[in-house]
Amino acid sequence: MSSNGTNGTDTPAGDASPGAGAGGAPAGDTAGGNPRTAGPGAPRADRRSQAWFGASGRAGMIHRSWMRNQGYGDEVFDGRPVIGIATTWSQLAPCNAHLDEVAEAVKRGVWQAGGFPLEFPVLSTGETIIRPTAMLFRNLMAMDAEELIRNNPLDGVVLLSGCDKTTPGLLMGAASVDLPTIMVTGGPMLNGKFRGQDVGSGTHVWKFEAEMAAGRMSECEARAAEGCMARSKGHCMTMGTASTMACMVEALGMQLPGGGAYPAVDARRMELAQESGRRIVDLVDKDIRPSDILTREAFENAIRTNAAIGGSTNAFVHLMALAGRLEGVELDLDLFDALGRDVPTLVNLMPSGKYLMEDFCYAGGLPVVLRRLVEAGVMHADSLTVTGRSIGENVAGAECFDDDVIRTWAAPYQPAGSGTAVLRGNLCPDGAVLKQSAASPELLVHEGRARVFDSPEAYHAVSDDPDLDITADDIIVVRGAGPKGYPGMPEVANVALPTKLLKQGVSDMVRISDGRMSGTGYGTVVLHVSPEAAVGGPLALVRDGDRIRLDVPARELSLLVDDAELERRRARTDAGPVPAAAQSPGGYAWLYRQHVQQAHLGADFDFLTGTRGHAVPRDSH
């Protein structure tokens, strides 16, 4: 796979030590599991899939015969492991549009290891296309994946994802079922190239938008840049949410080493996919499940890794939601802050830095970061991974080939404590977050006048007004963008600055919102304010002209209005939650608004928390 031997998969499937399962038991002896009695992929009558394919009489005949219309012979139903390949391939999700090719590579590996691969589609969402936001459908995708995995004759599953929400959505669904699982992310695009400079997807969208608003870039030039920005298959090549979550899956131990950074068009991506097909058969044989890998220690590893890579603030929401699907793994926002404070930013990538994911890959990728964290003593090096070995063992030989892209612990890109901060105060009693590495240092302590907008649309309607009453010292408040209020918590918090200020050369302002921003975005933006305005959170009580204080070093966000006045505002019938988002009379949007939790809990549905397991459903045949 890799010349430096860091992928942790260079032993034949079935020969790697499985390590310890949850609670210290050997992985093959976990509760409810069946210890391996034969070689990898060997037929066994006790496999879960045999409840379908090994049945006698009419039921078995139905299950087998209808599968045979695809040309499968009777031998595939002999008790070999049946491996589901859950794919989010879709031409409406451009970042995932190559996953059909990845699936074929996975199938080769499954066949090689003696398994029976069966590909199936799962709801796919791409943040770049779907409206109002892909986040609205992450939980629906997780439900789709969970039910398809549980209710089909599968012994294990390979998850194929690409764009932002498909990665956590698939993993959330699989965690709730807890069958042996491995993930293969689709990989980033090649570096964008425009007029001799590197161009980062997403990050340069915001930059080019500002340049056009300021009159320094024409529409024709922006159109030319579009094709140069997205010039290959894959997801965003900045350290946006897609790349961040691919790295999070690798840091959690659910993806093979190197999988977070190989470009989508790199042959090693397909090699890794094929190896993942072999590995899932061994995971099934050893009965290593997500619950064995996704421990509290694994999440702590991921949180520290997110700080080291300058990862997206959206990782907070997705990791919280994933932890909520697991028994005995409890996280809170303050843990993210506490674990990240002593970790410097090592990775010099956009939007915080200079380089892009292709450069990160060539420098050694995430295994280098993980090795440096292990050597610094801030990682749980013995955490089990899908290789069957510990994360420390996986990365022990990782070598860095460019110390400017992946900095050392002694000479980091940004010092410890410069990662995403968790804020508290009377404006965000349940927390808010701010990505320090993407913010302007001079604005991290700031007090200003609030300019309040009840929706992103309300702001956009006046942002080009040359007579807009706003200065660079003001604080833009955009509410009505939270999980229930929009609905779906869209990536709108980093609204472009008012045109009049852009023309004056202003490049950043403090912005506050109950929404999110793209991981490719940048600026001094307070995000995920919880509780949101639409459920009566304090953000609904802010009025034009109020003073707000932001003190990131002190982790404080405060509305400088006395409690008595806030209570008067709360009591007034015309001071309720604003804005009233378009109400749906039914359908999924209605279900979402009724059951979505707040951002600090991961914005999952209240009825989806916990693990529901993989008991074989009743057969009606």
Side-chain angles (χ1 to χ4, degrees):
M1 191 84 57
S2 150
S3 60
N4 61 21
T6 62
N7 60 33
T9 62
D10 47 1
T11 54
D15 291 346
S17 169
D29 295 330
T30 49
N34 297 301
R36 194 167 97 183
T37 57
R44 289 219 317 249
D46 59 358
R47 294 197 190 281
R48 183 177 183 273
S49 56
Q50 284 296 289
W52 283 262
F53 298 142
S56 59
R58 181 181 64 185
M61 185 181 299
I62 288 173
H63 296 314
R64 291 186 298 270
S65 64
W66 263 264
M67 289 296 293
R68 294 184 70 169
N69 78 352
Q70 299 177 69
Y72 297 119
D74 186 57
E75 69 277 359
V76 299
F77 309 117
D78 63 358
R80 68 187 66 193
V82 178
I83 305 300
I85 302 173
T87 178
T88 53
W89 174 88
S90 171
Q91 291 183 318
L92 285 172
C95 303
N96 299 30
H98 65 296
L99 292 181
D100 53 342
E101 302 169 24
V102 178
E104 291 304 313
V106 173
K107 289 177 188 176
R108 288 197 299 270
V110 174
W111 285 119
Q112 288 170 354
F116 177 25
L118 293 170
E119 182 181 355
F120 64 95
V122 174
L123 175 72
S124 184
T125 62
E127 191 68 69
T128 59
I129 297 291
I130 200 166
R131 296 183 178 183
T133 169
M135 185 63 176
L136 179 63
F137 304 103
R138 183 202 65 181
N139 299 344
L140 182 60
M141 178 194 308
M143 293 171 67
D144 185 14
E146 176 182 347
E147 299 306 330
L148 287 173
I149 294 169
R150 178 182 297 111
N151 295 296
N152 276 294
L154 303 178
D155 301 303
V157 63
V158 181
L159 310 175
L160 306 186
S161 69
C163 197
D164 303 10
K165 315 308 176 295
T166 57
T167 299
L170 280 180
L171 202 53
M172 288 160 62
S176 289
V177 183
D178 201 30
L179 283 174
T181 299
I182 193 170
M183 177 163 264
V184 182
T185 54
M189 295 183 283
L190 296 176
N191 289 0
K193 299 286 185 180
F194 178 61
R195 295 182 174 177
Q197 65 172 321
D198 281 346
V199 175
S201 50
T203 299
H204 273 81
V205 169
W206 320 123
K207 291 182 179 180
F208 292 155
E209 178 187 44
E211 289 293 290
M212 285 191 291
R216 295 187 289 267
M217 187 176 196
S218 69
E219 179 72 25
C220 183
E221 290 171 320
R223 285 292 186 94
E226 290 177 12
C228 302
M229 186 184 305
R231 65 187 188 92
S232 81
K233 302 167 185 175
H235 58 66
C236 288
M237 84 298 279
T238 50
M239 189 54 78
T241 306
S243 293
T244 296
M245 292 311 299
C247 290
M248 290 298 93
V249 175
E250 186 175 337
L252 286 165
M254 292 298 297
Q255 176 163 226
L256 293 181
Y262 289 138
V265 295
D266 194 308
R268 290 171 294 178
R269 171 68 51 191
M270 296 304 175
E271 190 178 348
L272 180 137
Q274 183 168 307
E275 176 63 16
S276 297
R278 292 195 292 268
R279 285 300 309 153
I280 187 60
V281 173
D282 196 53
L283 291 172
V284 169
D285 283 329
K286 291 188 170 77
D287 197 34
I288 299 177
R289 307 177 189 177
S291 57
D292 296 316
I293 296 172
L294 296 174
T295 62
R296 165 67 178 242
E297 290 75 19
F299 279 91
E300 291 184 0
N301 286 344
I303 291 169
R304 288 192 167 106
T305 302
N306 189 60
I309 64 175
S312 169
T313 52
N314 291 311
F316 285 43
V317 178
H318 298 318
L319 289 175
M320 289 291 294
L322 177 59
R325 298 299 187 99
L326 299 156
E327 300 298 334
V329 179
E330 295 184 5
L331 306 180
D332 60 50
L333 281 183
D334 292 330
L335 179 68
F336 285 76
D337 195 286
L339 294 179
R341 279 184 185 247
D342 60 350
V343 177
T345 303
L346 302 181
V347 179
N348 180 10
L349 257 65
M350 297 182 196
S352 302
K354 173 183 177 182
Y355 297 102
L356 294 166
M357 287 296 291
E358 190 179 347
D359 308 302
F360 183 48
C361 174
Y362 302 153
L366 194 69
V368 173
V369 178
L370 297 176
R371 179 178 179 179
R372 289 180 173 171
L373 292 174
V374 168
E375 291 174 343
V378 299
M379 292 280 278
H380 300 283
D382 58 350
S383 292
L384 181 66
T385 73
V386 290
T387 68
R389 300 186 292 208
S390 72
I391 197 163
E393 291 173 314
N394 287 348
V395 304
E399 183 179 355
C400 184
F401 303 105
D402 192 333
D403 282 330
D404 193 40
V405 178
I406 307 174
R407 302 289 182 85
T408 64
W409 190 270
Y413 176 64
Q414 292 188 349
S418 59
T420 296
V422 175
L423 309 175
R424 298 283 182 176
N426 69 344
L427 198 52
C428 55
D430 289 329
V433 301
L434 181 144
K435 186 174 180 178
Q436 297 179 82
S437 61
S440 299
E442 68 275 12
L443 291 176
L444 294 179
V445 177
H446 183 76
E447 182 179 320
R449 177 185 66 152
R451 291 293 284 114
V452 183
F453 301 92
D454 289 340
S455 68
E457 293 79 10
Y459 172 76
H460 294 146
V462 300
S463 63
D464 291 332
D465 185 349
D467 298 320
L468 182 65
D469 178 18
I470 197 166
T471 72
D473 290 330
D474 289 340
I475 294 177
I476 298 173
V477 176
V478 177
R479 59 194 178 195
K484 289 181 183 286
Y486 201 75
M489 202 182 176
E491 296 180 343
V492 297
N494 58 324
V495 292
L497 303 190
T499 301
K500 63 178 282 187
L501 297 182
L502 288 171
K503 290 181 176 180
Q504 294 171 15
V506 177
S507 60
D508 198 7
M509 291 175 66
V510 176
R511 285 151 281 177
I512 299 173
S513 178
D514 46 12
R516 300 177 299 114
M517 79 173 181
S518 168
T520 67
Y522 55 91
T524 310
V525 190
V526 178
L527 308 157
H528 312 178
V529 171
S530 187
E532 63 177 305
V535 298
L539 203 63
L541 306 179
V542 184
R543 299 292 177 261
D544 263 336
D546 286 347
R547 305 290 294 181
I548 295 175
R549 181 172 63 235
L550 171 66
D551 188 339
V552 177
R555 301 300 196 260
E556 178 189 356
L557 179 65
S558 296
L559 178 61
L560 303 181
V561 176
D562 64 65
D563 292 343
E565 171 59 20
L566 291 178
E567 285 306 311
R568 282 192 291 271
R569 292 181 185 180
R570 196 181 301 277
R572 288 174 54 191
T573 56
D574 63 344
V578 287
Q583 298 291 321
S584 171
Y588 175 71
W590 176 89
L591 175 72
Y592 187 97
R593 292 174 64 94
Q594 296 301 309
H595 292 284
V596 70
Q597 297 175 312
Q598 287 296 287
H600 70 283
L601 298 174
D604 198 2
F605 288 155
D606 52 17
F607 60 84
L608 289 180
T609 56
T611 301
R612 283 163 288 284
H614 52 260
V616 175
R618 291 185 295 175
D619 191 353
S620 62
H621 297 101

